Amino acid sequence: MILRPVLIVLSIAVSASASAGVPVPASPNLIPEAGPHAVGLRVIQQYDYSRLLEPSVDAFGKAGNAAPGRPIQMLVWYPARRGGGAPMLAADYQQTSLNDVDFTAPAAQATRQRAGWMAGPQSAQYRAPTLAVRDATAAAGRFPVVIYAPSFAAQAHENIDLCEYLASHGYVVLASRSLGARSVMMTDDVEGVEAQAADIAFLTNYAQTLPQADIGNIAAAGFSWGGMANVFAAARSSRIKALVSLDGSIRYHPKVWGAAGYVQPARTAVPMLYLGARAPSAEVMERKDMLGKSYLNTMTYSDVYVATLPPMTHADFSAWHVRFADDAAFGDYARADVLQAYRSGALYVRRFLDAYLKRDTDALAWLKQSPARHGIGPQVMSMAFSPARDVVLGEGDFLRAFAKAGFRDAKSIHAGMVARSSGFKLSPVSMNTLGYQLLRAKNARGALELFKLATFLEPTYANAFDSEGEAYEALGDTKSAIAAYEKAVAADPNQRNAVARIAALRRGSAD
């Protein structure tokens, strides 16, 4: 069914059709109608100097050169002006991958490799034109950004058709190869997925340098392993506003995401579109040790769309695979069935992004209708929609409400937020620290509210009772200050400041 063995083979783009002698269409119709923009492509090579990779064997079987940082070769698709320029061929994309780790690889070797593809049994597939024109003039305007994360150890161009399609409809799309944390090969663990999440962050940061990029509206899309890395990236950064998962591993690897404590629904409270292959049986998932809690079910803070495309297996979510696979790869389904399902999925990705990044109300209404209403029968796609049923409230929301209320009623504001959000939680330590900030700012009344909230949240929090005593002293309420200090000592006899202040205040009151 899944994940790594299939996609590692896909990444080197060698299909069984060459030996089987089964004809494969040179230019499969993988996308719906292209958008109003021409499509440009730039290839950008940069290093992330905060990280290193071990020297590896390059695409030609030779020891690669040691790089000064983690190599990040980006493919950047963008809306372009219509004009001249030859379109990219599939071979052009494959050629970019020959030096996506070693930027110094000799051009002569790449040229020989390309000549072999063009003369080989799949030359028609390699010669097939695509939508993009290399380094085309960018169209005027600013456009939402999509960061695409490939599958396990796969090349950046594995879904060229989807990426070009989105660019034609007004999106800037960036992708880079799936690399492991310490070596070129990805690893199926938390360290591996976090490395790809960090690459998504690197591409997001680079997008800020693009004049076309609207960095206020960024989505992260990913296939397979990349469809879990994008969730990790969203958990790390609130800049990601929407998630697209193409049969993503977030569904199949609960033990991996479960091992990362920060990957939680409240930290990924953004809409998600999940396009999945026909579901494996529970028996298969048990054998593969993939049974466990569903992350999609826990996303109560998000609008979640889960589509099932029966004609598609896991590998079919890679356009590169569909382009090069022979008909036998599709099992009981015809190639036409898979192409129709892929096109339907691409259409839903675009409409989902229109709805949530472009704030297109028509697209949102369209999205919430059954696929059958759009001429996509249940034999091609079914859709389940779960609207957000919870809200995310955090410390910042509480502090804004507290300030708006004139630094009063902290406990009641806290109670109201608990009632509104099941995941809302405040730290007693934070409340105590913030209270001291107010106390130093001569707002003893507001500080006392936070100290009292801290002791309400943690009734044995001696330091916060001591803080209450200081606030009462600042307010001139000696009796209440002594009572607060006594609570501090009762909770912790080693509260020396409280012991000293009790004695001093009692001497003062006796005098």
Side-chain angles (χ1 to χ4, degrees):
M1 168 187 142
I2 289 178
L3 283 166
R4 301 176 298 281
V6 170
L7 296 172
I8 291 171
V9 171
L10 295 180
S11 70
I12 61 176
V14 177
S15 163
S17 62
S19 59
V22 178
V24 178
S27 299
N29 185 15
L30 277 163
I31 62 170
E33 183 178 358
H37 301 282
V39 178
L41 173 76
R42 294 193 182 96
V43 181
I44 310 294
Q45 292 179 331
Q46 291 199 340
Y47 292 105
D48 180 350
Y49 292 102
S50 69
R51 297 180 290 164
L52 284 170
L53 285 182
E54 299 169 359
S56 64
V57 175
D58 67 15
F60 308 99
K62 297 182 179 179
N65 296 318
R70 182 180 179 88
I72 306 287
Q73 177 173 279
M74 291 172 275
L75 302 186
V76 183
W77 295 270
Y78 55 93
R81 295 180 186 175
R82 297 199 177 277
M88 291 280 290
L89 306 182
D92 297 325
Y93 277 108
Q94 185 70 358
Q95 189 168 351
T96 65
S97 69
L98 295 179
N99 62 341
D100 60 2
V101 173
D102 183 359
F103 298 163
T104 64
Q109 291 179 320
T111 300
R112 287 195 296 271
Q113 184 77 14
R114 180 191 176 95
W117 301 332
M118 301 306 249
Q122 292 182 296
S123 61
Q125 283 71 52
Y126 280 112
R127 294 177 188 276
T130 70
L131 290 180
V133 173
R134 184 79 176 260
D135 298 321
T137 302
R142 298 181 70 213
F143 305 93
V145 175
V146 179
I147 308 297
Y148 177 80
S151 55
F152 194 97
Q155 316 294 350
H157 63 269
E158 72 177 2
N159 259 316
I160 52 176
D161 297 270
L162 176 62
C163 295
E164 290 183 343
Y165 172 67
L166 292 176
S168 77
H169 281 278
Y171 291 91
V172 176
V173 185
L174 297 87
S176 65
R177 178 175 172 169
S178 171
L179 299 169
R182 301 176 183 274
S183 66
V184 171
M185 182 51 64
M186 177 57 72
T187 54
D188 59 346
D189 52 23
V190 172
E191 185 180 38
V193 73
E194 285 184 335
Q196 191 166 14
D199 290 344
I200 293 172
F202 187 90
L203 268 63
T204 301
N205 186 58
Y206 178 80
Q208 298 182 64
T209 69
L210 301 175
Q212 282 185 304
D214 175 7
I215 62 170
N217 291 290
I218 296 179
F223 166 38
S224 190
W225 195 251
M228 180 161 57
N230 65 343
V231 177
F232 275 58
R236 291 175 162 188
S237 172
S238 58
R239 187 170 289 281
I240 294 173
K241 305 300 184 185
L243 291 167
V244 174
S245 186
L246 307 179
D247 212 29
S249 296
I250 195 67
R251 168 180 274 182
Y252 302 111
H253 287 270
K255 292 183 179 180
V256 175
W257 63 257
Y262 64 91
V263 181
Q264 300 173 3
R267 298 185 65 169
T268 57
V270 296
M272 173 185 275
L273 172 65
Y274 190 98
L275 300 176
R278 51 185 182 269
S281 67
E283 291 75 22
V284 168
M285 294 192 72
E286 182 183 32
R287 285 197 299 271
K288 294 179 177 290
D289 196 23
M290 293 176 179
L291 288 176
K293 190 174 184 179
S294 166
Y295 194 82
L296 302 184
N297 285 344
T298 68
M299 294 181 71
T300 58
Y301 302 96
S302 311
D303 287 351
V304 179
Y305 302 80
V306 181
T308 301
L309 296 99
M312 299 181 73
T313 63
H314 185 70
D316 298 334
F317 287 87
S318 162
W320 196 262
H321 164 75
V322 175
R323 280 174 167 267
F324 282 85
D326 62 37
D327 289 346
F330 304 118
D332 293 335
Y333 287 88
R335 179 183 297 275
D337 298 328
V338 175
L339 292 176
Q340 184 182 6
Y342 189 99
R343 285 194 299 272
S344 299
L347 176 62
Y348 264 81
V349 170
R350 195 257 296 181
R351 297 294 272 172
F352 171 81
L353 295 173
D354 287 349
Y356 288 99
L357 293 190
K358 295 183 178 180
R359 314 299 192 276
D360 185 332
T361 55
D362 290 339
L364 184 62
W366 184 96
L367 196 65
K368 292 181 178 180
Q369 295 176 339
S370 165
R373 295 285 299 273
H374 309 304
I376 303 172
Q379 74 279 9
V380 177
M381 175 190 285
S382 61
M383 176 71 73
F385 170 56
S386 298
R389 52 191 183 276
D390 207 344
V391 295
V392 177
L393 294 174
E395 183 179 279
D397 300 290
F398 168 80
L399 293 176
R400 284 187 288 272
F402 181 51
K404 186 176 181 180
F407 300 99
R408 297 179 181 274
D409 303 321
K411 284 187 182 179
S412 62
I413 293 171
H414 170 264
M417 290 189 171
V418 168
R420 290 170 55 200
S421 176
S422 61
F424 177 69
K425 188 176 182 180
L426 293 177
S427 162
V429 175
S430 291
M431 294 302 101
N432 189 54
T433 301
L434 292 166
Y436 263 109
Q437 292 181 11
L438 290 180
L439 192 60
R440 286 193 292 268
K442 308 301 182 183
N443 186 351
R445 181 66 62 185
L448 182 60
E449 288 276 332
L450 293 184
F451 296 145
K452 283 183 169 292
L453 178 57
T455 57
F456 169 77
L457 296 171
E458 179 49 69
T460 61
Y461 191 8
N463 196 36
F465 281 118
D466 182 75
S467 302
E468 280 188 38
E470 293 185 39
Y472 277 123
E473 281 198 72
L475 292 168
D477 188 345
T478 300
K479 182 179 179 180
S480 296
I482 292 173
Y485 286 132
E486 287 176 338
K487 291 178 182 178
V489 175
D492 178 8
N494 294 317
Q495 287 286 321
R496 295 180 180 180
N497 178 70
V499 171
R501 294 311 301 155
I502 289 171
L505 291 173
R506 283 177 174 166
R507 283 195 305 269
S509 61
D511 295 339

